[in-house]
Amino acid sequence: MPTYTLTVLDVTGIQDYIFGSNRLSENVGASQIVHQATTTWVREGMDEAKVRHNLGPDDTIDALRWLEQDEALDAEVILRGGGNALILFRTPEFAKATVGKLTRKLIIDAPGLEIAVAHHTFDWTTPVGGPDGAHHKLYEALNQTKQQRRGSAPLLGLGVTLECRSTGLPAVGYAPPQGEDDTTLRPVSAEVLAKLDKTLQTAAQQRLTALLPEVEPAGYRFRREFGTLGGTEGEMSYIAVVHADGNGIGKLFEKVIMGYPEAAQNRACLNALRNLSNAVDQAGQDALRATIQRMMAAFSAHEAPRELKDFLQSLHAVPKTRHPILPFRPIVYGGDDVTFVCDGRLGLALAAIYLEEWERVTKVSPTIGAAHACAGVAIVKSHYPFVRAYTLAGALCTGAKRAVREALRDHPELSASALDWHFAMSGIGGTIKQIRDRECQGKAGPMHLRPVALHAPILKPNWYTWATFDRVTRDFQSGPDWRARRNKVKELREVLREGPVAVERFRRAFTLNKLPVLDAGKAALQQTGWDGATCGYFDPIEALDFYLPLTEKR
């Protein structure tokens, strides 16, 4: 019986590689390199190694060509993208030849990017799936490879060298000006030169345009750098870094693997893996596309609120063309993992919309089924170290996922969407919990209610969800009782720290009406802002200047 070699390619250190610079063009270029490393460059590696495969010239997989049935194939790509690829080769020699060509390509065209590879040769009469199948053994070998590999140690310079301003590595050349905010030559390392390659940048733009074809016909252009992505001239500029990740997607893949434990099911197992990978990738793209469509629909609505109209007036334009710059740019997308940056005032609304759209598109997917996701939103100054902002957003997302799991620990078959956020007005010191214990603590107890469940009231308190936050924040921003008293609302945030008695005294002193309704059954909340040790209004007030609603009032 035939033997085949199953190979996995896994790009490592993606976060540091993509988000290690404060220049958007470098982040975009790095993301495109990661994308190409397991798509276009895998195909080119197989072509160069004379390995016949099932990839088309546009990198699409021909799912109807199977290695065990097609003698004209030397390799069958099962899945790829998102920094990893799974390939079935006819012989170990074909696998090693392909990896050799690919790694050479990465060394030359993607310095700084690292990849881990594992091979497993098996008899087709033994199972691919199941607890002891070829797939399981392959990933055991991959984990062992990652643990044993030596970290890269780049040469830090000899004699007198210029330092790259993005990576700190020795500069090997100069980056050309990147636009209106970058008009001088700057010394950069080989890694940065690769990320700024014109062909690569063009490919990244084409990929983005293909994903979001509605943007340019609507008159918008994408921003090349962070500079004026948020805020206006003369104002402090803030951006939101949003990271969202699906709940339990890894378990879906594990379920597929465990569901085909027999050798007779090998083909069904591989096809199911491919179908699930394609479905998750498509769902992520559809959710992101729908998010942008809803944002632009809000921008063009005739009955847009005054705050939104003022925001649109503040958008910067591309020099010469005068096209307004879309205050949004996806950096990592595809699959259930997405990271995008936007104007700081849009981050919370866009994160919530993305979660809603992810739920919608997965619900109608016969392959995935109803799925949920969590998101973390870090709102920072535009010149804040981007890698730290991304790390913060990732930690917030992870914390939201953990809170959902703990809330549903008695019902592991269930899930829910949730989001968390943090306003980093200054440097961050410590973990999220340490920061909140220091900054969000009142005399009567914790003042924040984050993370917040999107729909299902599974997180404490059970009367508080995203819809509640949205409604109360809108009331404070534009409600008839509060829109002319914004300064008093902001003062109220500090009074809340002193406890319910201080809040009630403050309201009476300034003849303020009862606070917006949080729970009709808890009258004390409207009078004192507190329900026992729970403060209901700190989050909406804190978000007062950093929340621009993009949906109809609930």
Side-chain angles (χ1 to χ4, degrees):
M1 295 301 291
T3 59
Y4 300 124
T5 297
L6 197 59
T7 296
V8 61
L9 311 171
D10 187 33
V11 179
T12 63
I14 291 178
Q15 287 77 15
D16 290 340
Y17 186 77
I18 294 179
F19 302 107
S21 170
N22 260 37
R23 294 180 179 273
L24 183 59
S25 56
E26 294 175 18
N27 305 136
V28 169
S31 178
Q32 182 65 20
I33 287 176
V34 171
H35 171 73
Q36 292 186 174
T38 51
T39 54
T40 304
W41 291 351
V42 168
R43 172 178 54 79
E44 292 176 354
M46 288 191 288
D47 289 340
E48 191 175 346
K50 307 300 181 184
V51 174
R52 299 169 297 177
H53 53 80
N54 65 331
L55 290 177
D58 58 351
D59 296 321
T60 56
I61 298 175
D62 186 347
L64 299 180
R65 298 187 67 188
W66 302 343
L67 189 67
E68 75 277 15
Q69 294 183 0
D70 191 338
E71 292 295 330
L73 279 184
D74 300 319
E76 179 189 353
V77 178
I78 307 301
L79 56 88
R80 79 280 181 273
N84 59 77
L86 183 67
I87 309 172
L88 186 66
F89 288 96
R90 192 169 296 280
T91 67
E93 289 72 26
F94 285 137
K96 293 175 182 178
T98 297
V99 171
K101 298 297 183 182
L102 174 62
T103 51
R104 179 181 175 84
K105 176 78 171 177
L106 295 178
I107 291 171
I108 295 173
D109 292 343
L113 187 68
E114 299 183 14
I115 188 169
V117 180
H119 307 286
H120 179 70
T121 300
F122 68 104
D123 192 308
W124 190 248
T125 60
T126 60
V128 169
D132 297 313
H135 187 276
H136 176 76
K137 293 177 180 177
L138 175 69
Y139 276 83
E140 280 188 336
L142 178 66
N143 291 334
Q144 186 175 6
T145 297
K146 289 182 176 180
Q147 292 171 5
Q148 294 178 350
R149 71 187 182 93
R150 295 180 179 179
S152 62
L155 186 65
L156 299 181
L158 296 172
V160 179
T161 60
L162 281 175
E163 183 179 280
C164 173
R165 297 179 184 176
S166 295
T167 65
L169 297 173
V172 300
Y174 290 90
Q178 296 295 306
E180 66 274 16
D181 295 336
D182 186 7
T183 58
T184 59
L185 294 174
R186 56 189 174 90
V188 295
S189 63
E191 178 180 322
V192 173
L193 280 180
K195 294 175 181 178
L196 295 178
D197 178 78
K198 287 185 178 180
T199 302
L200 184 81
Q201 290 285 328
T202 299
Q205 184 61 41
Q206 291 172 344
R207 179 174 167 233
L208 185 60
T209 301
L211 174 70
L212 305 172
E214 307 89 349
V215 171
E216 292 194 0
Y220 292 99
R221 295 295 181 268
F222 287 105
R223 180 69 185 166
R224 291 181 60 88
E225 294 298 343
F226 290 121
T228 53
L229 188 64
T232 58
E233 294 292 352
E235 295 182 356
M236 184 64 70
S237 179
Y238 289 91
I239 63 171
V241 181
V242 180
H243 176 72
D245 194 16
N247 296 351
I249 300 301
K251 291 183 179 180
L252 290 180
F253 282 93
E254 183 180 350
K255 183 178 179 181
V256 168
I257 295 299
M258 294 299 112
Y260 298 93
E262 304 295 334
Q265 300 172 312
N266 283 353
R267 173 45 51 189
C269 180
L270 294 177
N271 287 348
L273 280 174
R274 177 186 290 137
N275 292 338
L276 179 57
S277 176
N278 290 341
V280 170
D281 186 65
Q282 190 62 51
Q285 293 186 39
D286 289 347
L288 187 60
R289 185 180 301 113
T291 300
I292 302 307
Q293 291 171 346
R294 288 177 62 177
M295 178 179 70
M296 293 196 301
F299 287 175
S300 60
H302 294 296
E303 301 299 325
R306 178 181 58 82
E307 292 84 1
L308 184 55
K309 291 180 179 179
D310 292 342
F311 169 80
L312 295 174
Q313 289 291 327
S314 72
L315 293 182
H316 287 265
V318 178
K320 298 181 182 179
T321 67
R322 308 313 301 168
H323 285 292
I325 295 170
L326 192 72
F328 175 95
R329 178 74 190 233
I331 297 179
V332 175
Y333 51 93
D336 65 312
D337 189 327
V338 63
T339 301
F340 59 83
V341 292
C342 60
D343 184 288
R345 293 162 287 184
L346 299 178
L348 295 180
L350 288 176
I353 290 174
Y354 177 82
L355 296 181
E356 291 175 353
E357 293 301 326
W358 171 260
E359 288 186 356
R360 181 185 64 81
V361 298
T362 56
K363 186 177 182 179
V364 298
S365 169
T367 305
I368 305 174
H372 300 83
C374 290
V377 185
I379 300 174
V380 301
K381 295 176 182 178
S382 59
H383 297 293
Y384 189 89
F386 189 58
V387 68
R388 291 172 63 187
Y390 170 77
T391 301
L392 174 60
L396 291 164
C397 179
T398 300
K401 292 165 87 65
R402 186 186 308 114
V404 169
R405 286 196 302 269
E406 291 176 355
L408 296 173
R409 62 179 177 272
D410 295 331
H411 303 278
E413 75 282 3
L414 300 179
S415 186
S417 298
L419 66 161
D420 198 352
W421 62 89
H422 183 74
F423 301 97
M425 302 296 103
S426 59
I428 298 175
T431 64
I432 296 296
K433 183 180 185 305
Q434 290 170 337
I435 294 170
R436 288 177 172 169
D437 287 346
R438 183 174 64 243
E439 300 179 4
C440 305
Q441 191 75 19
K443 291 183 178 179
M447 300 177 65
H448 70 89
L449 296 178
R450 291 164 273 171
V452 178
L454 187 66
H455 298 303
I458 63 166
L459 302 180
K460 296 179 181 179
N462 59 12
W463 42 262
Y464 193 82
T465 64
W466 172 257
T468 312
F469 166 83
D470 172 77
R471 175 173 49 78
V472 173
T473 307
R474 290 176 193 250
D475 283 346
F476 277 134
Q477 288 176 332
S478 56
D481 295 333
W482 302 98
R483 61 186 172 208
R485 314 191 77 171
R486 178 163 291 202
N487 289 339
K488 285 292 179 285
V489 173
K490 291 182 178 180
E491 288 180 36
L492 177 61
R493 182 180 65 176
E494 298 308 313
V495 176
L496 284 166
R497 296 182 187 275
E498 301 301 317
V501 175
V503 173
E504 193 158 14
R505 187 185 304 120
F506 179 81
R507 280 199 313 105
R508 291 175 178 173
F510 295 99
T511 63
L512 298 177
N513 293 327
K514 290 182 180 180
L515 302 176
V517 177
L518 280 170
D519 185 332
K522 298 183 181 298
L525 271 169
Q526 285 185 267
Q527 298 174 357
T528 68
W530 287 82
D531 175 35
T534 300
C535 178
Y537 297 92
F538 179 82
D539 289 344
I541 296 175
E542 186 185 38
L544 205 60
D545 293 330
F546 290 95
Y547 180 55
L548 195 58
L550 295 175
T551 56
E552 294 182 0
K553 192 170 184 178
R554 302 169 189 266

